Amino acid sequence: QVQLVESGGGLAQPGGSLRLSCVVSGFTLEYYAIGWFRQAPGKDPEGVSCSSAGDELVYYADSVKGRFTMSRDNAKNTVYLQMNGLKPEDTAVYYCVTKFILSRSGCWLDGDDFGGRGTQVTVSS
Protein backbone atom coordinates (compact mmCIF):
# COMPACT_ATOMS: atom_id res chain seq x y z
CA GLN A 1 0.00 0.00 0.00
CA VAL A 2 1.45 3.31 -1.13
CA GLN A 3 1.61 5.97 1.58
CA LEU A 4 2.89 9.52 1.31
CA VAL A 5 3.30 11.59 4.48
CA GLU A 6 4.23 15.24 4.07
CA SER A 7 5.61 17.46 6.81
CA GLY A 8 7.59 20.63 7.34
CA GLY A 9 5.03 23.25 6.44
CA GLY A 10 4.27 26.25 8.59
CA LEU A 11 4.34 30.00 8.69
CA ALA A 12 7.25 31.82 7.09
CA GLN A 13 8.00 35.45 6.43
CA PRO A 14 8.54 36.71 2.90
CA GLY A 15 12.12 35.95 1.93
CA GLY A 16 12.29 33.10 4.41
CA SER A 17 12.86 29.39 3.94
CA LEU A 18 11.16 26.11 4.69
CA ARG A 19 12.07 22.52 3.93
CA LEU A 20 9.27 20.10 3.24
CA SER A 21 9.70 16.36 3.64
CA CYS A 22 7.72 13.48 2.26
CA VAL A 23 8.26 10.00 3.63
CA VAL A 24 7.05 7.35 1.24
CA SER A 25 6.22 3.72 1.93
CA GLY A 26 4.87 0.83 -0.07
CA PHE A 27 7.38 1.30 -2.86
CA THR A 28 11.08 1.95 -3.41
CA LEU A 29 11.54 5.64 -4.03
CA GLU A 30 14.61 5.44 -6.27
CA TYR A 31 12.68 3.50 -8.93
CA TYR A 32 9.72 5.87 -9.10
CA ALA A 33 8.87 9.28 -10.40
CA ILE A 34 7.98 11.71 -7.65
CA GLY A 35 6.78 15.29 -7.52
CA TRP A 36 5.56 18.17 -5.43
CA PHE A 37 2.30 19.89 -6.20
CA ARG A 38 0.54 22.72 -4.47
CA GLN A 39 -2.98 24.03 -4.37
CA ALA A 40 -4.01 27.44 -3.13
CA PRO A 41 -7.64 28.16 -2.16
CA GLY A 42 -9.81 28.56 -5.23
CA LYS A 43 -7.02 27.64 -7.61
CA ASP A 44 -6.15 24.57 -9.67
CA PRO A 45 -3.33 22.27 -8.56
CA GLU A 46 0.08 23.36 -9.76
CA GLY A 47 3.04 21.10 -10.41
CA VAL A 48 5.89 22.75 -8.51
CA SER A 49 8.68 20.26 -9.15
CA CYS A 50 8.60 16.76 -10.59
CA SER A 51 11.25 14.22 -11.43
CA SER A 52 11.32 10.99 -13.34
CA ALA A 53 12.72 7.81 -11.86
CA GLY A 54 16.46 8.25 -11.50
CA ASP A 55 16.02 12.01 -11.85
CA GLU A 56 16.72 11.81 -15.58
CA LEU A 57 14.15 14.54 -16.13
CA VAL A 58 13.52 17.18 -13.49
CA TYR A 59 10.97 19.93 -13.95
CA TYR A 60 10.49 23.14 -12.00
CA ALA A 61 7.62 25.55 -12.51
CA ASP A 62 8.77 28.96 -13.70
CA SER A 63 7.24 30.47 -10.58
CA VAL A 64 9.72 28.61 -8.33
CA LYS A 65 12.75 28.13 -10.56
CA GLY A 66 15.91 29.31 -8.81
CA ARG A 67 14.20 29.36 -5.42
CA PHE A 68 13.02 25.79 -4.81
CA THR A 69 15.06 22.59 -4.99
CA MET A 70 13.75 19.04 -4.88
CA SER A 71 15.96 16.21 -3.72
CA ARG A 72 15.71 12.59 -2.70
CA ASP A 73 17.29 10.49 0.01
CA ASN A 74 16.63 7.02 -1.35
CA ALA A 75 18.08 5.34 1.74
CA LYS A 76 15.43 7.06 3.84
CA ASN A 77 12.70 6.78 1.20
CA THR A 78 12.24 10.51 1.64
CA VAL A 79 11.89 13.35 -0.84
CA TYR A 80 12.48 16.97 0.12
CA LEU A 81 11.50 20.36 -1.21
CA GLN A 82 13.84 23.13 -0.08
CA MET A 83 12.04 26.44 -0.48
CA ASN A 84 14.04 29.65 -0.30
CA GLY A 85 13.08 33.21 -1.03
CA LEU A 86 9.46 32.51 -0.13
CA LYS A 87 6.78 34.83 -1.43
CA PRO A 88 3.16 35.32 -0.31
CA GLU A 89 2.03 33.71 -3.56
CA ASP A 90 3.73 30.49 -2.46
CA THR A 91 1.01 30.09 0.17
CA ALA A 92 -0.77 26.80 -0.50
CA VAL A 93 -1.13 23.22 0.65
CA TYR A 94 1.82 21.25 -0.68
CA TYR A 95 1.49 17.62 -1.66
CA CYS A 96 3.93 14.87 -2.51
CA VAL A 97 2.60 13.05 -5.56
CA THR A 98 3.42 9.89 -7.47
CA LYS A 99 0.71 9.98 -10.14
CA PHE A 100 1.46 12.72 -12.63
CA ILE A 101 2.33 13.34 -16.25
CA LEU A 102 5.76 14.81 -16.76
CA SER A 103 7.34 16.46 -19.76
CA ARG A 104 10.04 19.08 -20.26
CA SER A 105 7.35 21.74 -20.40
CA GLY A 106 5.28 20.80 -17.41
CA CYS A 107 4.00 18.47 -14.76
CA TRP A 108 0.30 17.70 -14.46
CA LEU A 109 -1.69 15.76 -11.90
CA ASP A 110 -2.93 12.43 -13.26
CA GLY A 111 -6.29 11.95 -11.60
CA ASP A 112 -8.17 13.78 -8.87
CA ASP A 113 -6.31 12.54 -5.81
CA PHE A 114 -2.98 13.87 -4.58
CA GLY A 115 -2.35 10.72 -2.56
CA GLY A 116 -1.42 12.34 0.73
CA ARG A 117 -2.87 14.87 3.18
CA GLY A 118 -0.44 17.62 2.33
CA THR A 119 1.24 20.23 4.48
CA GLN A 120 0.17 23.86 4.73
CA VAL A 121 2.66 26.57 3.82
CA THR A 122 1.74 30.14 4.67
CA VAL A 123 3.98 33.04 3.72
CA SER A 124 3.02 36.25 5.44
CA SER A 125 4.55 39.09 7.39
Side-chain angles (χ1 to χ4, degrees):
Q1 181 181 359
V2 172
Q3 287 192 327
L4 307 163
V5 180
E6 303 95 339
S7 63
L11 176 64
Q13 292 190 339
S17 298
L18 286 172
R19 188 177 81 154
L20 307 184
S21 299
C22 173
V23 179
V24 310
S25 59
F27 65 97
T28 304
L29 178 62
E30 68 177 304
Y31 301 129
Y32 278 79
I34 195 81
W36 286 96
F37 281 69
R38 66 185 180 187
Q39 187 167 27
K43 294 190 175 181
D44 292 334
E46 177 187 14
V48 174
S49 179
C50 300
S51 72
S52 61
D55 292 338
E56 292 178 354
L57 175 60
V58 181
Y59 165 82
Y60 288 94
D62 287 343
S63 57
V64 307
K65 206 171 289 183
R67 300 188 297 123
F68 290 11
T69 304
M70 186 172 72
S71 61
R72 307 181 188 221
D73 185 335
N74 292 326
K76 295 182 179 180
N77 252 19
T78 301
V79 59
Y80 303 98
L81 184 68
Q82 178 67 44
M83 306 188 296
N84 299 328
L86 284 165
K87 304 176 180 180
E89 51 264 41
D90 294 321
T91 296
V93 180
Y94 284 70
Y95 299 88
C96 177
V97 177
T98 59
K99 295 181 179 180
F100 55 85
I101 299 167
L102 173 63
S103 77
R104 294 187 184 279
S105 59
C107 180
W108 300 272
L109 195 64
D110 184 8
D112 297 326
D113 184 12
F114 290 109
R117 294 187 176 182
T119 184
Q120 174 71 48
V121 171
T122 302
V123 183
S124 174
S125 56

